[in-house]
Amino acid sequence: MAPHTGQTSPAPRARSIAGSAATALTDRQLRFVLKRRFGKDKEFQRQSHALHTSDSLVDFLVATANGHDPHLPDEVFPMLRWGGQFVFASRQQDQVVDLAKRFNTHGAWVIEQPPATLNRYPLNFRLLLVHKRLHYFVTRKTSLIKPGESSERFTYNVNLTRHAESGSYIVMKQVPTFDRVVARLREKFPDADIETLRRRARKFTEKIFPVFLTRETAILKLLQRDLPSQFAAKVPQVVSAEQDSQGYVRTLYLKWLRNGRGDKPPLTQLQFARQAAELLVAIHDTARVIHLDLRLDNVVITPDGVGFVDFGSAVRVGESFPEASLLSTLFEEMMRTSQIQRMLGKMAEGGMVTSQEIRNSYHRIDKAVDFFYLAVQINAPLSNPDFRGLVTFEKDSPEARELATLTELILRPKDPEKPAFKSARDILDGILEIERRLKR
């Protein structure tokens, strides 16, 4: 199997379904299939020539029945970025049809091109009766996680779906089903009785998830209204929303911010840091929104640069909730249990965070929660596997050393009571100063 980068190239081998040289296609035949299927496809032209490192996820994978190319759905899934396409070709039609059925019933894929047949004539001379029949299909990865698997990252059902009017793919974020929530709770609380789990699941599906999805819809509309135009494409844009009888959003459709640089070069670590800081400054100071969950999972790198997604936990600056209300209770719990809060607590306890500005945000809704995590992750962008091939990182490079020093000054200032870095703007100024020094 090879990531398609303009030509067929070797790739790591893995277990696959039965195949042999007799049914496999040659490199030339594979290129013929790709040319016929994708010759004028703008997405293929834009994504297939992107830079891929040996361990990076890819946007296009091509496989044939040679006995060692991986092509089962679960094998291909971790090799592709979200929205990536997989092309399988063989001389054996039954093999193509059977495999396409596997992908179609798997639950994480959409068939883009059903099994089809191409006739390839020697020297492209159609008058000759001799030709080879080449069979293939194309499928797209539309789910973020494999069916049946759970992830701390995803609580809603999040999939790609075609927009009815434009035909392009958009993101569908949906309140999960009652049964799915029950199953998820059973995994987390195996000793709880079924009635308790069902009661909790009902509260999640009927109230908690719809409330937060409704809030996210409103926050995203606010961002589109208030963000400067150069940042509008760096956060999700609401396409439409479906509400229940109580007015809560149960399904949210968003413009897809796709990870990938297309034909643009990867960002440097310094560019990544600067763009993330610039966007956070705009969100905090202009749109007056606090994200509260700026893990690398919620950062994307697109042709437009660094973007942020998943504003489900976001609040407006200065927003307050009535005491003992549902939102007050939920945000209090989130400020105690979120991944970012757990990390902040552990680092503060271990002496790795001494800045009083940041320490004061522990268990609180505060802008410092966002810029704390920004300061931490600009030093390890490749912690998100999606970013391999999209951002360069060399731990001993001048920019890596400079950014590590900056992070240390943010987290452990000389005077913890009067830190120099008290906002995203301060961090951006520090990054710009690094740029100036490195250009001298």
Side-chain angles (χ1 to χ4, degrees):
M1 175 182 291
H4 187 74
T5 55
Q7 59 184 4
T8 305
S9 57
R13 303 303 183 187
R15 180 183 60 83
S16 66
I17 63 173
S20 67
T23 57
L25 272 61
T26 65
D27 287 353
R28 180 177 294 181
Q29 290 168 338
L30 282 173
R31 286 195 291 271
F32 171 77
V33 171
L34 293 174
K35 183 177 180 180
R36 288 288 298 273
R37 175 61 178 82
F38 296 106
K40 297 182 179 180
D41 189 292
K42 292 182 179 179
E43 178 186 353
F44 181 78
Q45 294 169 3
R46 183 171 59 251
Q47 300 291 345
S48 66
H49 293 273
L51 173 66
H52 297 299
T53 61
S54 60
D55 59 350
S56 66
L57 302 179
V58 295
D59 296 292
F60 280 89
L61 280 174
V62 184
T64 185
N66 55 17
H68 47 67
D69 275 356
H71 34 329
L72 293 176
D74 284 345
E75 294 173 336
V76 177
F77 189 93
M79 304 174 73
L80 279 173
R81 287 198 178 96
W82 192 33
Q85 295 187 67
F86 171 62
V87 183
F88 178 79
S90 172
R91 297 179 190 174
Q92 187 175 331
Q93 186 176 29
D94 290 347
Q95 190 176 48
V96 170
V97 171
D98 290 345
L99 188 59
K101 288 179 180 178
R102 290 198 190 193
F103 276 88
N104 195 39
T105 58
H106 183 267
W109 307 85
V110 166
I111 301 296
E112 290 283 328
Q113 169 62 63
T117 300
L118 297 174
N119 294 322
R120 189 170 188 271
Y121 297 86
L123 303 176
N124 291 325
F125 193 47
R126 293 178 177 271
L127 293 180
L128 294 177
L129 296 179
V130 179
H131 65 272
K132 292 182 178 179
R133 298 172 69 83
L134 311 177
H135 310 281
Y136 76 101
F137 75 93
V138 183
T139 186
R140 184 188 298 270
K141 175 180 172 179
T142 56
S143 178
L144 277 169
I145 58 174
K146 293 180 186 177
E149 287 191 356
S150 298
S151 169
E152 291 293 334
R153 175 181 171 188
F154 307 115
T155 51
Y156 293 87
N157 292 333
V158 182
N159 290 279
L160 295 174
T161 186
R162 281 196 183 275
H163 187 242
E165 296 179 8
S166 68
S168 59
Y169 276 94
I170 57 176
V171 176
M172 179 181 70
K173 187 171 183 178
Q174 193 172 46
V175 172
T177 64
F178 173 78
D179 289 341
R180 181 70 190 116
V181 176
V182 170
R184 184 75 178 93
L185 290 172
R186 184 180 289 122
E187 291 176 6
K188 296 188 69 174
F189 308 103
D191 297 329
D193 64 89
I194 187 62
E195 285 307 314
T196 298
L197 296 179
R198 290 174 64 86
R199 186 170 61 252
R200 290 181 180 179
R202 193 169 292 110
K203 184 176 181 180
F204 273 109
T205 55
E206 294 180 3
K207 195 72 174 180
I208 296 175
F209 284 140
V211 164
F212 275 98
L213 199 57
T214 302
R215 283 183 55 84
E216 181 173 14
T217 305
I219 290 287
L220 291 175
K221 289 181 177 180
L222 185 153
L223 289 174
Q224 288 304 311
R225 185 193 71 189
D226 294 344
L227 276 179
S229 58
Q230 67 266 34
F231 297 107
K234 297 188 174 187
V235 296
Q237 299 177 32
V238 175
V239 176
S240 62
E242 297 175 1
Q243 298 177 324
D244 61 20
S245 59
Q246 300 180 67
Y248 291 122
V249 174
R250 299 194 68 87
T251 304
L252 178 60
Y253 296 95
L254 304 167
K255 184 176 180 180
W256 178 22
L257 294 186
R258 182 175 188 170
N259 267 324
R261 294 289 288 160
D263 58 359
K264 294 184 177 181
L267 298 177
T268 66
Q269 183 190 0
L270 194 56
Q271 288 173 328
F272 171 79
R274 189 195 72 236
Q275 291 184 21
E278 288 173 339
L279 180 55
L280 188 58
V281 169
I283 289 173
H284 279 185
D285 298 348
T286 305
R288 296 184 59 76
V289 166
I290 308 173
H291 190 286
L292 290 178
D293 195 19
L294 269 186
R295 298 169 293 164
L296 278 181
D297 287 346
N298 291 330
V299 179
V300 294
I301 299 177
T302 75
D304 292 316
V306 175
F308 298 158
V309 298
D310 195 352
F311 284 78
S313 304
V315 298
R316 289 171 288 125
V317 173
E319 184 176 7
S320 60
F321 308 107
E323 188 174 351
S325 67
L326 174 64
L327 281 174
S328 175
T329 302
L330 292 174
F331 272 99
E332 284 177 8
E333 181 178 356
M334 185 170 66
M335 290 300 99
R336 291 195 308 268
T337 61
S338 74
Q339 178 182 326
I340 292 177
Q341 287 290 331
R342 292 198 305 269
M343 175 180 281
L344 174 55
K346 188 176 295 185
M347 292 180 68
E349 185 178 340
M352 291 179 284
V353 175
T354 61
S355 166
Q356 205 58 45
E357 186 75 23
I358 297 176
R359 290 171 68 98
N360 286 343
S361 69
Y362 186 50
H363 288 175
R364 291 178 56 198
I365 295 173
D366 196 288
K367 291 180 182 179
V369 175
D370 285 352
F371 71 70
F372 156 69
Y373 222 52
L374 174 68
V376 171
Q377 58 197 19
I378 58 176
N379 290 294
L382 298 188
S383 296
N384 183 343
D386 270 359
F387 291 172
R388 293 169 189 162
L390 303 182
V391 58
T392 59
F393 173 71
E394 296 179 17
K395 64 178 182 179
D396 295 322
S397 66
E399 65 179 17
R401 291 196 297 268
E402 289 273 9
L403 286 170
T405 299
L406 175 63
T407 294
E408 179 71 8
L409 292 173
I410 295 168
L411 303 183
R412 292 168 49 88
K414 293 180 180 179
D415 185 350
E417 298 295 329
K418 297 179 180 179
F421 298 93
K422 297 186 289 186
S423 67
R425 168 64 66 183
D426 293 337
I427 294 177
L428 176 58
D429 290 342
I431 293 170
L432 295 175
E433 177 57 32
I434 291 174
E435 283 190 336
R436 287 190 288 269
R437 282 202 301 269
L438 292 179
K439 287 179 180 178
R440 290 171 188 165

